[in-house]
């Protein structure tokens, strides 16, 4: 081990001592704002534990992404700690799956670890919607609550549903999942939590001497209780920042980290407040913005005098197309003058329909760029037959890989029908539950005339098409299989073809191809070392940094998105504050240049589609209003300029 290197880990980035206290058995909370060296502090903590002869596999690190876990081991290995490879590190879902697998929990309880993809959840929701659960919106809310072990608030104990309607919903949901031999991805946490709570002698409750959790503010109450159980035999270190809590949709609230000491009164606190990433002006603007949130502890970032002031621009364009073309020209100008590399540029847009035109403009101008929005045809909301082509192809591939994949069969049989063929599938399901037949076997018997299940006409028609497709594809493998399923002539196939291109030729078979696509969709990882402009949502920018950050679509109704008017007042205010935290996350990604862009006019039909508030008098084109967050950026925020002035500035 390189002792000199380890000593350097115990110094600040500027060479001055900066020690994160070594506590005995007390929990350690590290409050770390954006760009303050949070990841550095976490890795240094692990390095110190290894130096003190802690057994590596008795250290557990919960990271935000799989890439973060890999980077941690790599960095520790680079300073002469090869034993870092044995440190247990991963996302909380991967850790849960490992625990459940090691203890054979799923096969014992009759569950099958076949995760539902996002678009496949649409069929689950449609089937549940024919019961008295309050409609699609209420079902989605209950699914999120189920995945958080029914702890919707920070003060609620995770466990089982207390309300009668929630209990009925959970029973019907589990019946659907068990029949279809599948699981929700979010189920992994409550399943693991229940296992550990109910089995106090489980090895995992005494397996770790040290548990370290990154991005603690993104954990909901169930996840917090889970890591607490894993740490009950050792120490718990949490790292995070309440001002970057942006996942209330999974019931993760900033109170989780802000009120940590109320549940752990013996906690030792450390604070990292020197922002080593952002320019001075950005730090000042970020501080001015976030103080408008009332429910926070009042910490502020410290701008470092050795950081540049920064290049900050506020610009308004006439319309969305002008914004896309103008932003692309700005990027081209700086790339051609070698001021910044494409891989060091982030374009953040609140919706795909705003980000895609910029990506297209960049490509037309010869600047490599890539969009990281989920394909709209895979988000579960597409009802158009042509748009759902990607879903049908994935269902066919799943059935090529496993002819008894009940989820894929349910999906394929539902495409092209307004109610997704609910009545027919329900009749088939009732028959299978009574007879013990598999859905595929029952459909084959119905197709051959050996069975006469009523109400199956539409299902059998879909099954006939499926039989023909599977027959044509059964003998294909390699690139021929990929080209047949995902034709290079169709734009929607690009994502799948890119995934297939990462596989070896011998792995281009249905089982491995489908598994690779499913892993990419359920555990997406954003690349950090790239040579192209990355275009994505503000949510996806979490954890990334770039020399140039451009936030577009900065208008009222998009940034911030308005809270639901039906919510109680306190919930509306909490939602508004989270929207402010999301913007705070976006502006603190930059190391040098920040562009905040809006547009004045918008097509009314697009505004309606994106749920931007419309005026009482409907016109084909509406006037928009720049985000009110601009007024909160403080006195050092530059004055806005027009798009024309912005481009003239380039010379």
């Amino acid at each position: 081990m390189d002792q000199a290197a380890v000593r350097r880990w115990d110094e600040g980035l500027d060479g001055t001592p900066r020690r994160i206290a070594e506590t005995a058995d007390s929990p350690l909370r590290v409050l770390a704002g954006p760009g303050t060296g949070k990841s550095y502090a976490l890795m240094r903590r692990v390095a110190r534990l290894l130096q003190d002869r802690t057994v590596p596999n008795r250290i557990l690190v919960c990271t935000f992404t799989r890439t973060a876990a890999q980077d941690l081991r790599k960095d520790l290995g680079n300073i002469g700690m090869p034993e870092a490879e044995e440190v247990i590190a991963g996302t909380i879902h991967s850790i849960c799956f490992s625990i459940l697998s090691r203890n054979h929990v799923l096969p014992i309880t009759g569950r099958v670890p076949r995760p539902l993809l996002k678009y496949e959840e649409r069929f689950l929701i449609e089937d549940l919607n024919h019961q008295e659960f309050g409609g699609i919106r209420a079902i989605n809310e209950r699914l999120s609550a189920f995945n958080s072990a029914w702890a919707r608030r920070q003060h609620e104990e995770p466990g089982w549903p207390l309300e009668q309607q929630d209990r009925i919903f959970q029973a019907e949901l589990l019946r659907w999942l068990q029949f279809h031999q599948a699981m929700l991805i979010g189920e992994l946490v409550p399943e693991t939590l229940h296992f550990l709570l109910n089995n106090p002698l489980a090895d995992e409750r005494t397996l770790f001497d040290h548990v370290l959790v990154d991005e603690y503010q993104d954990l909901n109450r169930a996840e917090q209780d889970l890591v607490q159980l894993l740490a009950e035999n050792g120490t718990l270190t949490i790292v995070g920042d309440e001002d970057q809590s942006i996942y209330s949709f999974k019931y993760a609230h900033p109170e989780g980290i802000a009120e940590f000491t109320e549940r752990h009164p013996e906690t030792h606190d450390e604070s990292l407040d020197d922002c080593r990433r952002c320019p001075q002006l950005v730090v000042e603007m970020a501080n001015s913005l976030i103080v408008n949130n009332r429910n926070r502890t009042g910490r502020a970032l410290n701008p470092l005098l050795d950081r540049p002031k920064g290049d900050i621009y506020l610009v308004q364009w006439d319309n969305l197309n002008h914004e896309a073309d103008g932003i692309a020209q700005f990027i081209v100008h700086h790339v051609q003058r070698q001021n910044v590399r494409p891989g060091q540029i982030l374009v953040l847009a609140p919706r795909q329909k705003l980000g895609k035109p910029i990506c297209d403009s960049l490509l037309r101008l010869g600047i490599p760029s890539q969009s990281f929005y989920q394909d709209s045809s895979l988000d579960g909301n597409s009802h158009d037959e042509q748009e759902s082509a990607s879903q049908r192809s994935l269902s066919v591939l799943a059935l090529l890989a496993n002819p008894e994949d009940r989820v894929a069969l349910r999906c394929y049989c539902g495409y092209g029908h307004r109610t997704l063929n609910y009545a027919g599938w329900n009749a088939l399901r009732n028959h299978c539950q009574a007879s013990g037949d598999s859905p595929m076997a029952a459909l084959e018997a119905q197709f051959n005339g050996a069975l006469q299940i009523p109400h199956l006409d539409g299902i059998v028609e879909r099954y006939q098409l499926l039989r023909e497709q599977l027959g044509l594809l059964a003998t294909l493998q390699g690139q021929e299989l990929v080209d047949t399923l995902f034709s290079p002539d169709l734009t929607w196939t690009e994502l799948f073809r890119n995934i297939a291109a990462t596989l070896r030729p011998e792995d281009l078979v249905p089982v491995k191809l489908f598994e690779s696509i499913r892993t990419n969709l359920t555990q997406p990882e954003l690349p950090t070392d790239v040579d192209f402009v990355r275009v994505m949502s503000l949510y996806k920018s979490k954890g990334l940094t770039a020399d140039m950050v451009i936030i577009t679509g900065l208008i009222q109704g998009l940034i911030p998105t308005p809270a639901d008017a039906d919510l109680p007042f306190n919930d509306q205010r909490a939602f508004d504050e989270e929207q402010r935290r999301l913007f705070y996350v976006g502006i603190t990604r930059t190391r040098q240049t920040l562009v905040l862009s809006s547009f004045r006019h918008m097509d009314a039909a697009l505004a309606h589609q994106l749920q931007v508030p419309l005026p009482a008098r409907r016109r084909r084109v509406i006037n928009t209003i720049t985000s009110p967050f601009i007024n909160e950026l403080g006195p050092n925020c530059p004055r806005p300029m027009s798009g024309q002035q912005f481009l003239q500035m380039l010379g």
Side-chain angles (χ1 to χ4, degrees), residues 371-425:
S371 170
F372 289 91
Y373 295 89
Q374 175 77 36
D375 190 304
S376 60
S377 65
L378 295 176
D379 64 9
N381 296 319
S382 173
H383 293 263
D384 183 86
E385 183 70 11
Q386 183 176 354
E387 289 183 5
S388 65
S390 58
Q391 298 178 21
R392 294 197 307 274
S393 291
L394 281 183
S395 296
V396 170
L397 177 59
L399 288 163
L400 280 171
N402 174 17
E404 293 296 329
D405 189 321
R406 297 185 179 189
V407 173
L409 183 61
R410 167 68 185 101
C411 295
Y412 193 91
C413 289
Y415 293 130
H417 195 275
R418 185 178 58 84
T419 64
L420 306 182
N421 264 331
Y422 161 76
W425 185 261

Side-chain angles (χ1 to χ4, degrees), residues 4-11 40 43-44 47 75-76 79:
V6 173
R7 283 195 299 274
R8 287 194 294 273
W9 282 75
D10 284 328
E11 297 178 349
Y40 168 86
M43 290 187 286
R44 187 172 62 81
D75 288 342
L76 289 171
I79 63 167

Side-chain angles (χ1 to χ4, degrees), residues 12-16 18 35 273-281 283-284 302-310 591-592:
L13 297 182
D14 56 0
T16 59
R18 189 181 67 188
D273 299 318
D274 292 339
C275 184
R276 304 169 184 278
R277 175 198 302 156
C278 301
Q280 294 180 46
L281 285 178
V283 174
E284 293 167 3
N302 297 326
L304 295 186
L305 297 179
D306 61 349
R307 296 293 299 141
K309 286 291 186 181
R591 285 189 289 260
Q592 175 60 42

Side-chain angles (χ1 to χ4, degrees), residues 29 320 322 542:
R29 177 175 65 171
L320 177 60
H322 287 179
K542 183 78 171 291

Side-chain angles (χ1 to χ4, degrees), residues 49-62:
L49 293 173
L50 292 174
Q51 186 190 32
D52 291 343
R53 307 295 182 184
T54 302
V55 178
N57 64 8
R58 293 190 67 82
I59 301 173
L60 173 66
V61 184
C62 295

Side-chain angles (χ1 to χ4, degrees), residues 562-574:
D564 193 326
D566 294 333
L567 290 174
F569 174 77
N570 286 342
D571 289 346
Q572 289 188 41
R573 190 168 70 178

Side-chain angles (χ1 to χ4, degrees), residues 340-390:
V340 64
R341 295 185 293 107
Q344 285 300 324
I345 301 173
L346 282 177
V347 177
L348 309 180
R351 301 286 192 277
Q352 182 183 25
K353 288 186 178 296
L354 277 65
K356 188 177 185 302
I358 297 174
C359 195
D360 292 343
S361 293
L362 287 170
L363 292 173
R364 283 196 301 270
L365 294 173
I367 300 296
S369 62
Q370 187 171 331
S371 170
F372 289 91
Y373 295 89
Q374 175 77 36
D375 190 304
S376 60
S377 65
L378 295 176
D379 64 9
N381 296 319
S382 173
H383 293 263
D384 183 86
E385 183 70 11
Q386 183 176 354
E387 289 183 5
S388 65
S390 58

